[in-house]
């Protein structure tokens, strides 16, 4: 599906879906638990549905409350496998979900026999050699099946009931570390993990929160280099409401700042568990008109002439050295949204400490450099950074800025949901008469089902081609 985006002013309210990260953790923990768990406000995205399809292979029963039109309900019920959890009854195909792959493979090391993992083309290109290493450190067997490859298919053989101390960088991804922490629930002794270069640390805090909610004892040092997890005697079933997804909030948020818009984003998670909420303070530092009402769980975002100063110009001029610097290691999934909005910020933006972004659904650093440059942006690429020299569409007095040079064109999503959504938002801020065509935009369903429909309710006027 190709989608056409043009300049639009947005208004109204939009509700973002539940968190993908929380939903997948909830499904796996409910599978490990004894009894029936209730998960409210889950995200019915492709990755979460892949998880809901995978966990029955190891003993869970999942009811997605699907109606006659094939739409999932707002509460999912999981009858956990508990002590009856077993070797997968079939190959586990994780689809496009790196979270599912990295979470479940360490758990598979506790099963007696071989577990086989694969996924779509994107997943099969993502590295798993670091996972193989930690699973072997646990005392189990793990192999990549294709000679010379670093990706799936991957096979894992247990069983192990206790693990040796595990030492690993933690810089490739936090997801496999969360997988180790989940696997600790199957251990007879505490699991000790040493990270030499921890990244994406808010996600480790999220996993800690979930594990503690089911009775595990978890300690994480202040520098995130030392993690210890002790399993409870029994993981009991639970009832939880999945909070909203800050990774999804980023897209209507930046879209509202690109035109004469006023949008209220509902169902905002104020718990602080998701690191991506840092985007609010980052954008406020360059002048974005954003109000966060934590009591009512809303963000009110005003852009362009709808901003309280009547101009809505974004600029780095009040920042040190006139530069917006953002370390991406704690919330790397925000790089797509931030790179796009940076094209509309007057001044220099440096998105750094971002090497992990090269190992997502795509090499996001390379893809963003290529696609934004095609549209007239001034972008520099380094091994672990992007530098964007942006120009606001207007000067501080509201007059047109002739240096603003973004234009329309045809761009590729490369099957990456966050690339697709960020470029779709960029199209809303283009000059009049310009249009942007985003190819293969259906991949948005991986994390934000019905993204275009929901955005159109605020006046985005996206159209399929």
């Amino acid at each position: 599906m190709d989608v056409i985006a043009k300049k639009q002013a947005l208004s109204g309210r939009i509700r973002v879906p539940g968190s993908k990260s929380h939903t997948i953790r909830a499904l796996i923990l409910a599978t490990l638990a004894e009894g029936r768990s209730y998960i409210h406000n889950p995200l019915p995205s492709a990755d979460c549905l892949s998880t809901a399809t995978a966990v029955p292979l190891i003993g869970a029963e999942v009811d997605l409350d699907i109606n006659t039109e094939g739409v999932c309900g707002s509460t999912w019920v999981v009858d956990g496998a508990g002590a009856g959890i077993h070797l997968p009854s079939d190959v586990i195909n994780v689809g496009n979900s790196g979270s599912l792959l990295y979470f479940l493979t360490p758990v598979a090391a506790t099963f007696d026999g071989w577990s086989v993992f694969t996924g779509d083309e994107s997943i099969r290109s993502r590295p798993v050699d670091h996972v193989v290493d930690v699973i072997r450190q646990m005392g189990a067997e793990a192999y990549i099946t294709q000679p010379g490859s670093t990706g799936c298919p991957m096979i894992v053989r247990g069983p192990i009931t206790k693990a040796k101390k595990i030492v690993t960088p933690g810089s490739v991804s936090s997801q496999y570390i969360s997988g180790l922490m989940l696997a600790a629930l199957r251990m007879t002794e505490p699991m000790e993990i040493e990270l030499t270069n921890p990244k994406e640390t808010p996600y480790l805090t999220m996993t800690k929160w979930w594990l503690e909610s089911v009775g595990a004892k978890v300690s994480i040092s202040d520098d995130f280099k030392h993690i210890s997890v002790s399993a409870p005697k029994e993981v009991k079933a639970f009832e939880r409401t999945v909070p909203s997804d800050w990774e999804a909030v980023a897209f209507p948020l930046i879209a509202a700042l690109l035109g004469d818009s006023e949008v209220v984003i509902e169902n905002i998670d104020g718990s602080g568990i998701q690191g991506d909420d840092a985007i609010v303070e980052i954008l406020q530092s360059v002048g974005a008109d954003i109000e966060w009402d934590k009591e009512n769980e809303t963000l009110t975002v005003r852009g362009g002439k709808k901003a309280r100063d009547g101009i809505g110009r974004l600029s780095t001029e009040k920042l040190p050295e006139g530069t917006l610097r953002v370390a991406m290691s704690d919330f790397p999934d925000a790089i797509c949204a931030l790179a796009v909005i940076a094209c509309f910020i007057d001044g220099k933006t440096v998105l750094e400490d971002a090497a992990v972004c090269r190992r997502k659904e795509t090499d996001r650093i390379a893809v963003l450099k290529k696609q934004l440059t095609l549209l007239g942006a001034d972008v520099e690429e380094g091994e672990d950074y992007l530098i964007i020299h942006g120009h606001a569409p207007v000067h501080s007095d509201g007059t047109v800025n002739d240096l603003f040079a973004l234009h329309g064109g045809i761009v590729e999503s490369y099957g990456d949901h966050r690339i697709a959504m960020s470029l779709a938002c960029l199209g809303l801020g283009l000059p009049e008469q310009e249009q942007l065509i985003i190819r293969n935009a259906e991949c948005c369903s991986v994390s934000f089902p019905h993204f275009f429909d929901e955005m159109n309710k605020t006046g985005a006027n996206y159209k399929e081609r």
Side-chain angles (χ1 to χ4, degrees), residues 30 55 58 63 101 114 155 229 281 331 338 423 433 439 460:
V55 294
I58 58 175
D63 181 1
L101 174 66
W114 289 105
I155 55 176
V229 182
E281 186 175 345
F331 51 107
L338 286 172
L423 292 173
Q433 311 306 319
R439 300 190 63 187

Side-chain angles (χ1 to χ4, degrees), residues 430-464:
L430 289 175
E432 298 283 358
Q433 311 306 319
E434 295 283 347
Q435 73 173 23
L436 186 62
I437 298 173
I438 304 98
R439 300 190 63 187
N440 300 311
E442 66 276 4
C443 58
C444 295
S445 65
V446 166
S447 61
F448 199 147
H450 314 297
F451 169 75
F452 296 108
D453 292 337
E454 293 301 313
M455 289 293 291
N456 281 349
K457 293 176 183 177
T458 67
N461 197 29
Y462 292 122
K463 294 182 179 179
E464 291 185 27

Side-chain angles (χ1 to χ4, degrees), residues 109-123:
T110 68
F111 301 145
D112 186 4
W114 289 105
S115 300
V116 183
F117 292 85
T118 190
D120 67 9
E121 183 179 2
S122 174
I123 281 293

Side-chain angles (χ1 to χ4, degrees), residues 52-70:
T53 300
V55 294
L57 299 178
I58 58 175
E61 294 183 11
V62 181
D63 181 1
L64 303 181
D65 191 26
I66 298 175
N67 65 20
T68 56
E69 297 178 352

Side-chain angles (χ1 to χ4, degrees), residues 105-311:
T105 43
V107 175
T110 68
F111 301 145
D112 186 4
W114 289 105
S115 300
V116 183
F117 292 85
T118 190
D120 67 9
E121 183 179 2
S122 174
I123 281 293
R124 296 195 304 275
S125 69
R126 294 175 69 172
V128 294
D129 45 344
H130 55 295
V131 184
V132 168
D133 176 67
V134 296
I135 288 175
R136 290 175 178 173
Q137 287 190 51
M138 290 171 70
E141 294 181 70
Y143 300 95
I144 295 168
T145 64
Q146 299 295 313
S149 172
T150 60
C152 283
M154 173 185 178
I155 55 176
V156 177
R157 182 182 183 181
I160 56 169
T161 59
K162 59 181 180 180
K164 300 175 183 178
K165 183 176 180 179
I166 296 168
V167 180
T168 185
S171 54
V172 175
S173 166
S174 69
Q175 292 171 332
Y176 76 108
I177 309 303
S178 288
L180 291 171
M181 295 169 71
L182 290 163
L185 296 180
R186 300 266 297 155
M187 300 293 159
T188 57
E189 296 179 5
M191 179 178 285
E192 304 292 335
I193 307 169
E194 299 290 325
L195 304 181
T196 58
N197 187 21
K199 301 292 183 182
E200 301 181 317
T201 54
Y203 294 105
L204 301 179
T205 301
M206 182 188 296
T207 303
K208 177 178 184 287
W209 180 87
W210 272 102
L211 291 175
E212 289 177 336
S213 76
V214 297
K217 293 182 180 179
V218 185
S219 65
I220 300 180
S221 63
D222 291 342
D223 60 6
F224 286 88
K225 290 186 175 182
H226 309 283
I227 300 173
S228 177
V229 182
S230 299
K233 290 183 178 179
E234 181 181 273
V235 178
K236 295 183 178 179
F238 53 85
E239 183 171 1
R240 297 281 186 278
T241 298
V242 173
S244 56
D245 190 354
W246 268 101
E247 295 167 0
V249 168
F251 299 107
L253 173 55
I254 66 165
L257 294 173
L258 299 184
D260 301 330
S261 304
E262 182 170 353
V263 173
V264 177
I265 308 173
E266 301 178 324
N267 195 34
I268 295 296
D269 176 19
S271 69
I273 294 174
Q274 301 182 59
D276 295 72
D277 61 6
I279 194 172
V280 172
E281 186 175 345
I282 290 167
L283 294 177
Q284 286 174 332
S285 75
V286 294
D289 187 344
I290 306 171
E291 289 184 83
W292 186 350
D293 184 339
K294 293 189 177 182
E295 182 177 351
N296 292 309
E297 299 181 339
T298 61
L299 283 180
T300 301
V301 189
R302 304 177 185 90
K305 295 177 182 178
K306 292 290 186 177
R308 282 172 288 188
D309 65 2
I311 298 173

Side-chain angles (χ1 to χ4, degrees), residues 356-369:
V356 68
C357 299
R358 291 194 182 276
R359 298 183 290 270
K360 294 293 185 176
E361 284 82 344
T362 56
D363 179 342
R364 287 177 175 162
I365 291 178
V367 168
L368 287 166
K369 165 68 163 60

